[in-house]
Amino acid sequence: MHTETHTGLDAPRGIWWKPAHKAERLWVGIAFGWCLVLFAMMPLWHFKGGQNPTGIRRRTDPKAYYARTMEFIRQYKVGEDRGMPIVAPPPGSDVYLMAFTFQWQPILKLQQGAQYTLHLSSLDMNHGFELFPVNANFQVVSGYDYGLRVSPTAAGDFRIICNEFCGIGHHTMVGRVIVVDSTGREIASSGGVQ
Ligand SMILES: [Cu+2]
């Protein structure tokens, strides 16, 4: 039996080079046009929709990020909730939140309407920051410091959920953000929707 060998250098046999049908060309054209629309949506939504925020991105060492977060906790700690430090940084400050299996540390106490730079990083693997019930999602990547300029718009007791599967305790990885209103009053609620 004769077995033919083919290399990529030989032209394939047959009539594969037939020009594309009109309908196919039309669909390729529509698909390409749609690609351009979606491509334009990214910058458009940054300015119009308040999505795809820019921020500070820099490389960091997990050990250095841990040390920086611990210093931040020591500096502004105001209490504890079941052993977890509650930290109330002043408006305008840099806020550090670290993710690791299976915790978010520390608990943040922020003021409604104040501006902060929220730094996110992971000490081990990829985690997903999701502020519940606000639909805000960010990747938390080990070795990278992602600094977001944030300003809480509503007072309440919010939760941070990990939305990137990170292991056996992933579903228990819940953090907390307390936002006090402009009078400094804390709105007590558990499970926190305001
Ligand atoms: Cu996780």
Side-chain angles (χ1 to χ4, degrees):
M1 191 180 132
H2 176 69
T3 310
E4 210 178 334
T5 51
H6 238 293
T7 78
L9 300 174
D10 299 328
R13 285 196 191 164
I15 46 167
W16 63 274
W17 59 87
K18 259 202 312 193
H21 188 266
K22 221 168 79 179
E24 190 178 352
R25 281 208 305 271
L26 179 70
W27 279 115
V28 168
I30 290 170
F32 183 70
W34 187 240
C35 285
L36 293 181
V37 170
L38 293 178
F39 183 69
M41 291 291 270
M42 295 288 280
L44 188 74
W45 239 233
H46 170 65
F47 293 108
K48 278 279 181 191
Q51 291 186 27
N52 311 321
T54 54
I56 304 156
R57 288 170 187 78
R58 61 169 85 96
R59 276 187 171 278
T60 184
D61 177 60
K63 282 200 189 90
Y65 192 84
Y66 172 79
R68 183 67 190 87
T69 308
M70 292 314 279
E71 192 196 318
F72 165 73
I73 292 171
R74 264 194 302 277
Q75 209 173 356
Y76 301 120
K77 186 174 164 182
V78 292
E80 270 187 18
D81 175 16
R82 281 162 288 181
M84 180 72 80
I86 301 173
V87 180
S93 61
D94 284 82
V95 174
Y96 291 85
L97 183 71
M98 59 185 177
F100 52 92
T101 48
F102 300 100
Q103 277 183 28
W104 298 95
Q105 249 200 75
I107 294 171
L108 299 173
K109 196 171 186 177
L110 307 176
Q111 282 176 38
Q112 186 184 358
Q115 298 267 345
Y116 302 92
T117 304
L118 173 63
H119 294 264
L120 301 170
S121 192
S122 162
L123 303 184
D124 40 40
M125 59 183 74
N126 223 28
H127 295 284
F129 173 99
E130 178 178 345
L131 189 64
F132 180 86
V134 183
N135 188 18
N137 297 279
F138 300 98
Q139 286 282 327
V140 184
V141 183
S142 180
Y144 284 91
D145 177 349
Y146 188 11
L148 292 158
R149 277 176 279 275
V150 298
S151 178
T153 53
D157 194 339
F158 301 92
R159 293 292 175 270
I160 305 164
I161 296 167
C162 182
N163 64 8
E164 196 74 55
F165 183 76
C166 58
I168 198 83
H170 166 68
H171 61 289
T172 66
M173 191 166 164
V174 180
R176 194 176 164 203
V177 179
I178 304 157
V179 180
V180 294
D181 67 15
S182 43
T183 62
R185 194 166 52 96
E186 190 177 326
I187 296 168
S189 67
S190 56
V193 186
Q194 283 296 325

Coordinates of all heavy atoms in Angstrom, one line a residue, residues 102 126-128 162 164-166 170 173, ligand 1:
F102 N -7.6 30.8 53.3 CA -8.9 31.2 52.6 C -9.4 32.4 53.3 O -10.5 32.3 54.0 CB -9.9 30.0 52.6 CG -9.3 28.8 51.9 CD1 -8.8 27.7 52.6 CD2 -9.3 28.7 50.5 CE1 -8.3 26.6 51.9 CE2 -8.8 27.6 49.8 CZ -8.3 26.6 50.6
N126 N -4.1 32.9 42.6 CA -5.1 33.8 42.1 C -6.4 33.7 42.9 O -6.9 32.7 43.2 CB -5.4 33.3 40.7 CG -5.5 34.5 39.7 OD1 -4.9 35.5 39.9 ND2 -6.3 34.3 38.7
H127 N -6.9 34.9 43.3 CA -8.2 35.0 43.9 C -9.0 36.0 43.2 O -8.4 36.8 42.5 CB -8.0 35.4 45.4 CG -7.3 34.4 46.3 ND1 -7.9 33.2 46.7 CD2 -6.1 34.3 46.7 CE1 -7.1 32.5 47.4 NE2 -5.9 33.2 47.4
G128 N -10.3 36.0 43.4 CA -11.2 37.0 42.8 C -11.8 37.9 43.9 O -12.5 37.3 44.8
C162 N -14.7 35.5 47.4 CA -13.7 35.1 46.4 C -14.4 34.4 45.3 O -15.2 33.5 45.5 CB -12.7 34.1 47.1 SG -11.5 33.6 45.9
E164 N -12.9 33.4 42.4 CA -11.9 32.6 41.6 C -11.6 31.4 42.4 O -11.1 31.5 43.5 CB -10.7 33.5 41.4 CG -9.8 33.0 40.3 CD -10.4 33.4 38.9 OE1 -10.7 34.5 38.7 OE2 -10.5 32.4 38.1
F165 N -12.0 30.2 41.9 CA -11.8 29.0 42.7 C -10.4 28.8 43.1 O -9.5 28.8 42.2 CB -12.3 27.7 41.9 CG -12.2 26.5 42.7 CD1 -13.2 26.3 43.7 CD2 -11.2 25.6 42.5 CE1 -13.1 25.1 44.5 CE2 -11.1 24.5 43.3 CZ -12.0 24.2 44.3
C166 N -10.2 28.7 44.4 CA -8.8 28.6 44.9 C -8.5 27.4 45.8 O -7.4 27.4 46.4 CB -8.5 29.9 45.6 SG -9.5 30.3 47.0
H170 N -12.5 27.4 49.4 CA -12.8 28.6 48.6 C -14.2 29.2 49.0 O -14.3 30.4 49.1 CB -12.9 28.1 47.1 CG -13.5 29.1 46.2 ND1 -13.0 30.3 45.9 CD2 -14.7 29.0 45.5 CE1 -13.8 30.9 45.1 NE2 -14.8 30.2 44.8
M173 N -14.2 31.6 51.9 CA -13.3 32.8 51.8 C -14.2 34.1 51.7 O -14.5 34.6 50.6 CB -12.4 32.6 50.6 CG -11.3 33.7 50.6 SD -10.0 33.2 49.4 CE -9.2 34.8 49.3
Ligands
CU1 CU -10.1 32.3 46.8

